[in-house]
Amino acid sequence: MCARRGWEKNPDWCVWEAEQGEEPGGALGRPQKVCLCPFLPLHPLHISTHLYIIQHPAEENKVLRTVPLLTACLPQDKCKVKIGRRFSEERDPELSTVCRKSDTLILYPGAEAANLEEFILDSPIYPSTIIIIDGTWSQAKDIFYKNSLFRLPKQVQLKTSISSQYVIRTQPTNRCLSTLECAAAALSILEKNNYIQETLLRPLQALCSFQLQHGAQIRLSKEHLLKNGLYPKPMPKNKRKLRKMELLMNSVKI
C-alpha cells in the first residue's frame, strides 16, 4: 500500500477497483503495480480559480474516467463536482449564485463562445470561476441547453489543435478533449502557469500507459474511423444520426 506523505485522502476518490487477490494501492484504489499515486502532485496544486465540474450521472460509475484524477490534484475548496442532469436555483442555490456572478465562465464550445485566451485579455473583470460539463458530447449538450442557469455565465472555448492524450476512450473527433484535459488547459491559461497543465496531465498519461501495457487498445476517434473506412458498425438508418456521421466524415464542427 502506498501513501501520500502528509496528505489525507478522501475515500470517495478510490474509484478504481483492485484486481482480484491484490490489495488496493494508494489514494486512487488501484493495485500497487499500477498505482497512480506516484504521478500525482505531492500536495494539491495552489490555484486561485474555482472550478465547478457538472457531471452527468452516467459518468459517476465509469471506471476509466478523468474527474477523480483532477480532484486528486486540486484543493477540495477549489474543485467541486456537482452530479445531475437538471439544476435550478431551488435545487442548488450555491450553483445558482455562482452562475450569476460576472466573473464566472462556462467552458462549452459553440458559435457564441469566445476563445478563452483572447477573452481574458480584453475582459475588464478577471474570471475567478470556471464551469466545465463532464459527460459524453450528447450528454453535455443536453445539460447545457436544458439548464438556463448555464447560459448566464460568459461562454468560452479553447482554441487548440492538439489531439487528446486520453487514447483509451473513443472521442467523436480528433479535436475532442477529456474533462481533465479541458480543465488542465483552462486552468493553465487562467492561472498563467503552464506547470499546472503538465502536472494535471501526468496521471492521465500514466493511466493510459498502464492500460495499454495490460491489453487495452488505442481508441481512434469516430471521425478518423469514418474517414478511413474503418468504422466497425453499420451506418445508422436514423436521418439525424446519419447526418451527424456525414458531418464527422467531412470535418464539420458539430
Side-chain angles (χ1 to χ4, degrees):
M1 187 83 71
C2 68
R4 302 296 293 161
R5 292 170 290 175
W7 186 1
E8 290 294 327
K9 285 290 188 175
N10 187 324
D12 291 340
W13 291 343
C14 300
V15 296
W16 281 283
E17 297 295 332
E19 293 175 5
Q20 189 173 6
E22 291 185 336
E23 286 191 23
L28 293 172
R30 292 177 64 84
Q32 277 188 300
K33 64 182 180 182
V34 290
C35 182
L36 296 173
C37 285
F39 302 94
L40 300 175
L42 187 58
H43 302 287
L45 290 172
H46 177 73
I47 58 172
S48 59
T49 306
H50 289 82
L51 173 64
Y52 280 80
I53 302 294
I54 308 302
Q55 187 175 78
H56 190 279
E59 285 293 308
E60 191 178 2
N61 296 318
K62 289 184 178 178
V63 177
L64 298 176
R65 55 203 173 108
T66 65
V67 168
L69 296 177
L70 183 60
T71 58
C73 294
L74 299 175
Q76 292 184 49
D77 64 331
K78 297 294 186 183
C79 181
K80 295 187 177 182
V81 180
K82 302 274 188 178
I83 301 171
R85 294 184 180 88
R86 301 291 176 263
F87 298 87
S88 65
E89 187 168 2
E90 295 74 24
R91 291 183 180 181
D92 199 320
E94 177 197 3
L95 186 61
S96 175
T97 300
V98 168
C99 288
R100 295 178 190 280
K101 288 184 175 180
S102 59
D103 58 355
T104 297
L105 306 176
I106 185 163
L107 187 69
Y108 189 84
E112 298 180 1
N115 290 324
L116 178 57
E117 285 185 283
E118 297 169 5
F119 174 77
I120 61 174
L121 292 176
D122 300 328
S123 176
I125 301 174
Y126 201 83
S128 69
T129 303
I130 189 163
I131 299 169
I132 299 177
I133 302 174
D134 178 49
T136 64
W137 281 98
S138 59
Q139 290 166 352
K141 183 178 181 180
D142 177 76
I143 289 174
F144 181 74
Y145 284 106
K146 292 187 178 179
N147 289 280
S148 58
L149 277 181
F150 297 142
R151 286 190 301 290
L152 296 176
K154 176 62 181 178
Q155 184 182 347
V156 295
Q157 61 188 355
L158 298 171
K159 185 179 180 180
T160 177
S161 58
I162 63 172
S163 296
S164 175
Q165 297 185 46
Y166 192 26
V167 295
I168 55 175
R169 190 167 174 179
T170 302
Q171 303 287 3
T173 75
N174 296 330
R175 301 174 302 281
C176 291
L177 301 178
S178 67
T179 302
L180 181 145
E181 289 171 306
C182 288
L187 289 174
S188 68
I189 292 169
L190 292 170
E191 299 286 326
K192 298 182 172 65
N193 185 349
N194 290 333
Y195 172 75
I196 291 173
Q197 186 170 16
E198 295 170 8
T199 302
L200 291 177
L201 290 180
R202 197 171 297 130
L204 176 66
Q205 293 163 347
L207 169 64
C208 293
S209 176
F210 285 144
Q211 291 297 318
L212 293 173
Q213 289 172 29
H214 289 83
Q217 300 293 318
I218 290 178
R219 301 292 187 92
L220 299 171
S221 72
K222 191 178 290 186
E223 175 189 14
H224 177 91
L225 295 174
L226 287 167
K227 281 184 175 181
N228 291 276
L230 302 173
Y231 192 66
K233 300 177 182 178
M235 294 296 280
K237 295 180 180 179
N238 179 286
K239 289 184 178 180
R240 183 178 61 83
K241 292 183 177 179
L242 182 61
R243 176 60 179 159
K244 287 179 69 175
M245 292 288 199
E246 291 171 347
L247 291 173
L248 282 175
M249 292 176 70
N250 293 301
S251 298
V252 177
K253 196 171 184 179
I254 59 174

